[in-house]
Amino acid sequence: NAGVTQTPKFQVLKTGQSMTLQCAQDMNHEYMSWYRQDPGMGLRLIHYSVGAGITDQGEVPNGYNVSRSTTEDFPLRLLSAAPSQTSVYFCASRTTGIRTPLHFGNGTRLTVT
Amino acid sequence: GDSVTQMEGPVTLSEEAFLTINCTYTATGYPSLFWYVQYPGEGLQLLLKATKADDKGSNKGFEATYRKETTSFHLEKGSVQVSDSAVYFCALAEGGSEKLVFGKGTKLTVNP
């Protein structure tokens, strides 16, 4: 059972480039989310989805787009990368219900130069 | 809005020492409380949780008690090991919201 799989593990972009961070889960979880982790800031929610076709903004959505066409996949798109988006990105999923635990992927370390 | 405040680190202890990491919260209702742990190079994983006042969550020798009167959920372990070195996050989830709110994390290093 793979759980939550994120690709790539590492990525370097130049300012203005675009890319998509992939996230897939095989646990049939309805809820999926993206966080960024920065030193001294903890984890901040970027976007989340409560099911296929439904997405919503989190705490820091600017500069990121998401879509949820299937239950399994929840890609995060950076349309025009900026140095401020240098961070470690985590995808997480859970079953229905806010009180159930989140399952995290191992993260993508992104550097924007 | 809801928030979580946890003690700033880093925390450095010797093996077999007693650990306390403080966590207090602000919430309008009756949240569920969690501790997550992040080992180097990995994502977060659930360590323990408590869903109502006076509940005690426990796992791997770690414990935390949901104290509504002090709005706290402090993490404790009686005897830490080198393998407990990690970053620990306190978090809360309130019914009616889909968002899990995290503290900023506390880095623990345990020396042999």
Side-chain angles (χ1 to χ4, degrees), chain B residues 13-58:
Chain B
L13 296 173
S14 297
E15 207 164 22
E16 299 184 3
F18 184 85
L19 169 70
T20 299
I21 301 178
N22 290 337
C23 172
T24 58
Y25 68 89
T26 302
T28 54
Y30 301 93
S32 290
L33 300 172
F34 305 83
W35 277 101
Y36 281 82
V37 59
Q38 183 181 30
Y39 298 105
E42 298 183 8
L44 281 71
Q45 56 186 272
L46 179 68
L47 180 59
L48 53 84
K49 72 174 184 178
T51 58
K52 62 182 187 299
D54 299 326
D55 269 0
K56 177 184 285 188
S58 61

Side-chain angles (χ1 to χ4, degrees), chain B:
Chain B
D2 296 346
S3 65
V4 174
T5 302
Q6 59 182 110
M7 65 185 286
E8 294 189 17
V11 174
T12 303
L13 296 173
S14 297
E15 207 164 22
E16 299 184 3
F18 184 85
L19 169 70
T20 299
I21 301 178
N22 290 337
C23 172
T24 58
Y25 68 89
T26 302
T28 54
Y30 301 93
S32 290
L33 300 172
F34 305 83
W35 277 101
Y36 281 82
V37 59
Q38 183 181 30
Y39 298 105
E42 298 183 8
L44 281 71
Q45 56 186 272
L46 179 68
L47 180 59
L48 53 84
K49 72 174 184 178
T51 58
K52 62 182 187 299
D54 299 326
D55 269 0
K56 177 184 285 188
S58 61
N59 186 25
K60 300 181 180 179
F62 290 90
E63 293 183 339
T65 301
Y66 187 160
R67 301 285 189 199
K68 188 172 183 296
E69 63 274 15
T70 54
T71 61
S72 65
F73 193 54
H74 305 320
L75 182 68
E76 297 181 336
K77 186 174 185 181
S79 177
V80 293
Q81 306 299 312
V82 172
S83 57
D84 293 327
S85 298
V87 181
Y88 293 82
F89 291 90
C90 186
L92 74 80
E94 191 145 35
S97 169
E98 292 294 339
K99 303 174 186 178
L100 189 63
V101 178
F102 285 91
K104 293 186 177 180
T106 302
K107 183 176 181 179
L108 171 67
T109 301
V110 181
N111 294 319

Side-chain angles (χ1 to χ4, degrees), chain A residues 8 10-21 63-64 76-87 89 108-113:
Chain A
F10 302 95
Q11 183 70 49
V12 179
L13 291 178
K14 295 186 186 303
T15 297
Q17 287 185 316
S18 63
M19 79 159 296
T20 299
L21 280 63
Y64 307 95
L76 179 71
R77 297 183 184 85
L78 284 70
L79 298 179
S80 179
S84 60
Q85 294 178 305
T86 293
S87 186
Y89 292 84
T108 295
R109 183 174 293 275
L110 174 68
T111 302
V112 183
T113 61

